[in-house]
């Protein structure tokens, strides 16, 4: 792997870490401010409802792309970005007016100047805020169910039905924080990247990701894509030498839900880390497990094919959480959230 590829992987790892640390920092404040979104966080049917909402949203976006309603999707995502940014800023700054102004600035920046660092900054805010919200709203069993089902769904949608690749192709040109943009060179500009032209040069979405001469890998929700500079030959370049790759925001958010849920609901005691009072051993090892899965995903991405991220990332987070629970002395039944049912 080239030096520029290592820089890109390091930046992606840093973004994942900031999302996870940010979510852990927000968990106590979000709970104190009454942001818990469900009445009974231990109810596993909450996960099923959320999974249904994800499938419905995916269908809506695919239909919108089919009928040329791309800008509607862009406006919905930008509004959602501003809303989640408001949750974060409202928890961090004492003035509601300042929080509204900052969140509006995030949405405006996405509309008028969606360069890669604007996208990534908004994605970090969205990711940390969403993971903290879900973390305090999904108990241990619902969180494990959610991550497990989404990992299976992700694998099916990438490797079997491939509709996630169609979704990725649709969102790339919108330049919205559904994907995290990971440049491998300082000269890269998302605003100058012509995704439509790149797609025409490479071929259709299926060949671009699964053919013998791939353009890279894509991740709108949970895959990852690399892209060439406009002057590079898409068929001959090494994926590790390309100017950027893309990781779905969901890849950062979903394993972090397990981290946040473990920190909030686990019986394990806090590690006493002052800046992160919610951090305990199960949450810490869930983070370690996430990065173990992340390492495997990045290795696969640099091979130049589309890969489902959640099987590795969610699997690592759940496995790390369970190991941390056992080491912390939490009974496995309690760690799985099954105690109320036994």
């Amino acid at each position: 792997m080239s030096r520029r590829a290592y820089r890109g992987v390091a930046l992606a790892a840093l973004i994942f870490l900031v999302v996870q640390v940010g979510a852990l920092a927000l968990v106590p404040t979000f709970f104190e401010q009454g942001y818990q979104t469900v009445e009974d966080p231990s109810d596993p049917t909450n996960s099923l409802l959320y999974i249904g909402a994800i499938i419905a949203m995916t269908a809506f976006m695919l239909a919108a792309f089919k009928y040329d309603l791309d800008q509607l999707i862009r406006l919905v995502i930008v509004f959602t970005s501003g809303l989640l940014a408001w949750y974060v800023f409202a928890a961090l700054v004492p003035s509601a007016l300042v929080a509204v102004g900052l969140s509006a600035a995030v949405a405006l920046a996405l509309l008028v100047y969606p360069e890669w660092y604007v996208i990534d900054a908004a994605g970090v805010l969205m990711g940390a805020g969403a993971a903290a919200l879900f973390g305090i709203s999904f108990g241990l069993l619902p969180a494990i169910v959610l991550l497990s089902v989404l990992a299976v769904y992700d694998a099916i949608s990438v490797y079997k039905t491939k509709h996630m690749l169609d979704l990725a192709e649709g969102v790339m040109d919108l330049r919205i924080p559904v994907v995290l943009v990971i440049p491998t060179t300082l000269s890269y500009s998302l605003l100058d990247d012509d995704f439509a032209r790149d797609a025409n040069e490479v071929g259709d979405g299926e060949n671009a990701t699964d053919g013998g001469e791939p353009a890279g890998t894509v991740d709108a929700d949970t895959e990852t894509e690399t892209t060439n500079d406009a002057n590079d030959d898409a068929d001959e370049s090494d994926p590790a030498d390309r100017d950027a790759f893309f990781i779905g925001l969901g890849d950062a958010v979903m394993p972090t839900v397990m981290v946040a849920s473990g920190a909030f609901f686990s019986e394990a005691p806090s590690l006493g880390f002052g800046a992160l009072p919610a951090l305990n051993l199960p949450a810490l090892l869930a983070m370690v497990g996430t990065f173990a899965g992340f390492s495997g995903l990045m290795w696969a991405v640099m091979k130049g094919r589309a890969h489902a991220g959640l099987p590795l990332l969610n699997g690592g987070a759940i496995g790390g959480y369970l190991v941390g629970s056992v080491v912390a002395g939490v009974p496995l039944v309690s760690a799985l959230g099954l105690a109320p049912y036994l």
Side-chain angles (χ1 to χ4, degrees), residues 210-223:
D210 294 325
E213 298 175 337
T217 57
V218 187
D219 191 357
D221 186 25
T222 47
E223 314 109 76

Side-chain angles (χ1 to χ4, degrees), residues 45-67:
T45 61
N46 296 333
S47 301
L48 301 180
L49 292 173
Y50 179 71
I51 291 165
I54 289 179
I55 295 173
M57 185 62 183
T58 300
F60 169 72
M61 292 179 71
L62 289 171
F65 293 138
K66 180 178 180 180
Y67 294 105

Side-chain angles (χ1 to χ4, degrees), residues 24 27-28 31 36 41 135-137 140 259-266 278 280 283:
L24 283 170
V27 159
F31 179 70
Q36 201 169 59
I136 65 173
S137 301
L140 299 173
V259 174
S261 178
F264 187 70
F265 290 102
S266 175
N280 54 25

Side-chain angles (χ1 to χ4, degrees), residues 38-336:
V38 297
E39 184 175 343
D40 181 9
S42 65
D43 186 355
T45 61
N46 296 333
S47 301
L48 301 180
L49 292 173
Y50 179 71
I51 291 165
I54 289 179
I55 295 173
M57 185 62 183
T58 300
F60 169 72
M61 292 179 71
L62 289 171
F65 293 138
K66 180 178 180 180
Y67 294 105
D68 296 324
L69 297 174
D70 303 39
Q71 292 307 309
L72 174 61
I73 296 297
R74 185 164 188 256
L75 290 175
V76 169
I77 298 300
V78 168
F79 172 78
T80 303
S81 302
L83 180 61
L84 285 170
W86 176 82
Y87 274 103
V88 175
F89 289 131
L92 298 178
V93 298
S95 170
L97 186 60
V98 172
V100 170
L102 290 173
S103 58
V106 170
L108 183 62
L110 289 171
L111 285 174
V112 302
Y113 194 73
E115 188 51 275
W116 67 266
Y117 44 83
V118 175
I119 297 290
D120 287 353
V124 167
L125 285 171
M126 289 180 67
L133 282 172
F134 292 135
I136 65 173
S137 301
F138 287 82
L140 299 173
L141 179 59
I144 292 172
V145 170
L146 176 68
L147 269 66
S148 300
V149 174
L150 286 182
V152 174
Y153 170 70
D154 187 32
I156 292 172
S157 65
V158 174
Y159 302 130
K160 185 68 175 177
T161 67
K162 303 184 190 253
H163 68 267
M164 198 62 72
L165 302 180
D166 295 331
L167 184 64
E169 184 179 347
V171 301
M172 293 304 296
D173 199 40
L174 294 181
R175 295 171 174 83
I176 51 178
V178 172
V179 292
L180 299 167
V181 185
I182 312 298
T184 61
T185 174
L186 294 176
S187 63
Y188 177 75
S189 172
L190 182 66
L191 297 175
D192 294 336
D193 206 335
D194 190 342
F195 298 107
R197 181 190 58 199
D198 291 344
N200 290 332
E201 289 176 351
V202 176
D204 65 29
E206 182 174 345
N207 292 332
T209 55
D210 294 325
E213 298 175 337
T217 57
V218 187
D219 191 357
D221 186 25
T222 47
E223 314 109 76
T224 308
E225 178 178 283
T226 55
T227 182
N228 272 333
D229 185 76
N231 296 323
D232 289 343
D233 186 342
D235 291 334
E236 297 179 358
S237 63
D238 184 343
D241 290 330
R242 300 186 179 188
D243 291 324
F245 60 92
F246 300 81
I247 301 178
L249 183 60
D251 284 349
V253 172
M254 288 305 152
T256 306
V257 172
M258 189 72 254
V259 174
S261 178
F264 187 70
F265 290 102
S266 175
E267 300 174 4
S270 170
L271 293 177
F273 190 68
L276 298 173
L279 182 64
N280 54 25
L281 193 57
L284 178 61
L285 290 194
M287 294 174 68
V288 173
T290 299
F291 280 97
F294 173 85
S295 299
L297 178 62
M298 289 298 99
W299 177 84
V301 164
M302 293 308 163
K303 298 296 183 181
R305 290 190 176 185
H307 292 279
L310 292 188
L312 288 170
L313 296 165
N314 287 2
I318 294 172
Y321 160 76
L322 291 176
V323 170
S325 298
V326 171
V327 173
V330 178
L332 190 58
V333 170
S334 297
L336 291 170

